[in-house]
Amino acid sequence: MTDNKQKAKANTLWGGRFEGGVSDIMEKINASIDFDKILYRQDIEGSIEHCKMLASKAIISGEDAKAIQDGLRQIEAEIEAGDFNFSAALEDIHMNIEARLTEIIGATAGRLHTARSRNDQVATDFKLWVRDACDQADEALKALQIALIEKAEQHADTIIPGFTHLQSAQPVTFGHHMLAYFEMFSRDRARFADARKRLNECPLGAAALAGTSFPIDRHQTAEALGFDRPTANSMDSVSDRDFALEFMAAASISAVHVSRLAEEMVTWSCAQFKFIEMSDSFTTGSSIMPQKRNPDAAELCRGKAGRIIGSLNSLLITMKGLALTFSKDMQEDKEATFDAVDTYSLIIAAMTGMVEDMTVNKDKMLEATEVGFITATDLADWVVRVIGLPFRNAHHITGSLVSLAEKKGCDLDGLTLAEMQTIEPLITKDIFSVLSVENSVASRVSYGGTAPSEVMKQAALAKERIG
């Protein structure tokens, strides 16, 4: 079909409202087919169920309903086979499908649009698509959580410095560190599940903005499409894009979690740390420095978080000034959402691969705990527990011992008992039992603590929680 014929068909579908052709500039700014064609399955599914409902209510005949449904299935097959000719002159996926349906079955195709508008049609298609995206995100996050649990179990007793302010704070286990990210991604899954539950109301039948005078059954179409119920207000139905915003908000928070783990991987893999090593599958070399192994996959996960956040911000800004109900601005909802979903899916898959792939250098991690007076808190706790002093006093004593060790150029366990007793005479040789990092982590047996025994318990509970 030539462009002129397609433009003429577009005018016919508009109901003869415009006599002239559409300018090339208007066609370009108005068309969304290049990106919204991804909605073809949802559009066809929604149209088939709408058609069935129209027939069940005797709004269209059974014969027409069968012709429409057969035609829609043919179109679906053509698209999936790559034989469908998408036209920018027909603007979007909805009009492209309707135009092709008219070619196949003739004027009967026009009956499909009875009691609906493109406004409720696109809202329904988009909700169905985002609902699928929520389900896919959940499955992807579950795979990442499984990888984290496996690493946690493998390294339940691998000791690594725990940091605050990027300063050595207390020794922890690497397994405990991995389970910290498990918790973050658990909250992410809950956010996607919550967003999915809230979006699961069907806009179909709201028509342009005011509902319809035809005796339709919106509960029938809602149930057939897997929604919990139809939306309760026709104006809100066609103007709501909260579901896309909520998905991108959940994806943005989750992307921040991915970015934080990616940042740690970048740091851990550098020559100054050497805590982990990533294989060639997730690193690249330098064009000029042959010794380099760059953690590009981690860096890109970190960088792409900003892209997802930007997509959320873009749609928030688009929606903030729109009066009820539909405005063409809302066509900007899909590119941002589609890109956010694609980008988010990619970084979750990449992070899952990196967690599975990374090799942990236990010796380097343990060596790093030998600096920074990392068992100072254990010393203060011992003073409280054994000597019976208030923690604030114990904190002061420990600070004085750290100062003494700094002057001597050793760690806390490098001080002699006599040197310690110059600060606090009641200290006994038993204090050395808490100054090893192994004893430190083993002692942290409070629920959710870093002790290897507790890590294994939490890993087992995590397996139960992920479903």
Side-chain angles (χ1 to χ4, degrees):
M1 185 181 293
T2 66
D3 284 346
N4 287 337
K5 287 182 179 178
Q6 287 172 334
K7 290 176 182 179
K9 180 165 286 188
N11 284 339
T12 300
L13 291 170
W14 274 109
R17 169 67 178 82
F18 300 103
E19 295 180 1
V22 181
S23 74
D24 290 341
I25 293 174
M26 181 58 188
E27 180 181 301
K28 189 170 183 64
I29 197 171
N30 197 45
S32 59
I33 188 60
D34 286 346
F35 53 85
D36 71 14
K37 61 187 176 184
I38 196 174
L39 297 173
Y40 77 90
R41 285 194 183 94
Q42 289 79 15
D43 193 72
I44 289 171
E45 181 183 6
S47 291
I48 286 174
E49 295 306 331
H50 181 68
C51 177
K52 289 178 179 178
M53 181 275 296
L54 292 176
S56 72
K57 301 298 291 184
I59 297 172
I60 64 174
S61 70
E63 182 181 357
D64 286 345
K66 184 179 186 307
I68 289 169
Q69 291 174 62
D70 289 346
L72 289 170
R73 289 303 183 198
Q74 178 180 330
I75 292 169
E76 183 176 38
E78 289 174 357
I79 294 174
E80 292 180 348
D83 297 331
F84 190 91
N85 180 32
F86 293 102
S87 168
L90 295 171
E91 294 185 25
D92 57 29
I93 186 61
H94 323 293
M95 291 181 71
N96 269 262
I97 288 175
E98 184 175 338
R100 177 61 181 143
L101 185 62
T102 301
E103 289 179 349
I104 296 170
I105 67 172
T108 298
R111 298 191 185 281
L112 175 61
H113 211 54
T114 306
R116 77 172 184 185
S117 161
R118 276 200 302 178
N119 292 354
D120 62 332
Q121 185 180 0
V122 68
T124 303
D125 295 355
F126 198 18
K127 271 196 172 184
L128 288 169
W129 193 90
V130 172
R131 188 176 70 185
D132 289 342
C134 286
D135 294 339
Q136 292 159 11
D138 183 73
E139 286 300 312
L141 283 169
K142 181 178 178 179
L144 176 52
Q145 287 185 305
I146 290 170
L148 289 165
I149 293 170
E150 290 175 353
K151 270 294 188 286
E153 290 178 325
Q154 293 166 14
H155 296 283
D157 59 355
T158 298
I159 298 173
I160 185 174
F163 297 95
T164 61
H165 308 279
L166 207 56
Q167 304 295 313
S168 293
Q170 292 179 265
V172 296
T173 55
F174 191 64
H176 193 52
H177 202 117
M178 291 292 95
L179 290 181
Y181 284 100
F182 173 90
E183 294 299 326
M184 296 183 205
F185 295 124
S186 290
R187 294 192 295 273
D188 294 336
R189 290 182 70 188
R191 272 183 280 270
F192 283 118
D194 194 43
R196 189 195 193 283
K197 181 178 179 181
R198 196 160 21 254
L199 73 76
N200 210 34
E201 296 181 346
C202 185
L204 196 58
L209 76 160
T212 178
S213 59
F214 289 95
I216 63 172
D217 185 347
R218 293 189 63 209
H219 288 83
Q220 177 183 328
T221 48
E223 182 178 355
L225 292 170
F227 289 102
D228 294 331
R229 63 191 69 85
T231 50
N233 183 283
S234 61
M235 297 181 74
D236 178 60
S237 300
V238 299
S239 61
D240 166 42
R241 292 298 182 269
D242 289 1
F243 58 93
L245 290 169
E246 283 201 67
F247 179 93
M248 286 194 284
S252 294
I253 294 170
S254 187
V256 168
H257 295 154
V258 172
S259 183
R260 294 180 72 180
L261 180 51
E263 166 65 18
E264 300 215 84
M265 288 180 162
V266 170
T267 302
W268 291 339
S269 64
C270 75
Q272 288 70 27
F273 277 75
K274 292 186 178 178
F275 285 0
I276 65 168
E277 183 175 318
M278 288 185 279
S279 75
D280 294 344
S281 298
F282 294 96
T283 59
T284 64
S286 166
S287 63
I288 192 172
M289 295 168 283
Q291 83 282 8
K292 295 286 292 299
R293 175 177 279 174
N294 300 322
D296 283 12
E299 292 171 353
L300 286 166
C301 284
R302 186 176 60 187
K304 288 180 183 295
R307 181 168 170 172
I308 295 168
I309 295 166
S311 293
L312 169 63
N313 199 37
S314 171
L315 185 53
L316 283 168
I317 292 169
T318 296
M319 296 300 297
K320 75 173 183 64
L322 299 186
L324 294 180
T325 54
F326 180 83
S327 296
K328 195 66 171 179
D329 313 49
M330 292 167 67
Q331 185 168 290
E332 294 298 304
D333 58 0
K334 293 170 199 63
E335 283 185 286
T337 306
F338 294 162
D339 187 73
V341 170
D342 287 346
T343 304
Y344 179 73
S345 299
L346 181 60
I347 67 171
I348 294 296
M351 182 53 70
T352 303
M354 284 188 287
V355 170
E356 293 171 342
D357 176 79
M358 67 178 173
T359 301
V360 174
N361 190 335
K362 294 184 178 183
D363 293 338
K364 281 290 183 181
M365 288 182 174
L366 184 60
E367 182 183 317
T369 66
E370 296 173 1
V371 296
F373 310 104
I374 203 164
T375 56
T377 304
D378 298 273
L379 192 156
D381 288 346
W382 183 91
V383 171
V384 172
R385 188 173 59 253
V386 176
I387 299 178
L389 295 177
F391 184 81
R392 285 301 170 202
N393 298 69
H395 186 282
H396 178 76
I397 291 168
T398 302
S400 298
L401 290 170
V402 167
S403 179
L404 183 62
E406 284 180 327
K407 291 174 183 177
K408 188 177 177 181
C410 66
D411 208 342
L412 287 169
D413 59 1
L415 294 173
T416 66
L417 177 60
E419 287 169 331
M420 291 188 182
Q421 288 175 338
T422 64
I423 303 297
E424 174 49 62
L426 295 177
I427 291 177
T428 69
K429 64 179 181 180
D430 180 61
I431 198 168
F432 290 99
S433 67
V434 301
L435 295 183
S436 74
V437 291
E438 291 82 3
N439 287 344
S440 174
V441 296
S443 70
R444 306 292 170 176
V445 293
S446 57
Y447 184 87
T450 194
S453 60
E454 186 61 23
V455 171
M456 292 304 292
K457 288 178 185 176
Q458 290 298 333
L461 290 172
K463 289 178 181 177
E464 295 178 9
R465 288 166 53 194
I466 60 175

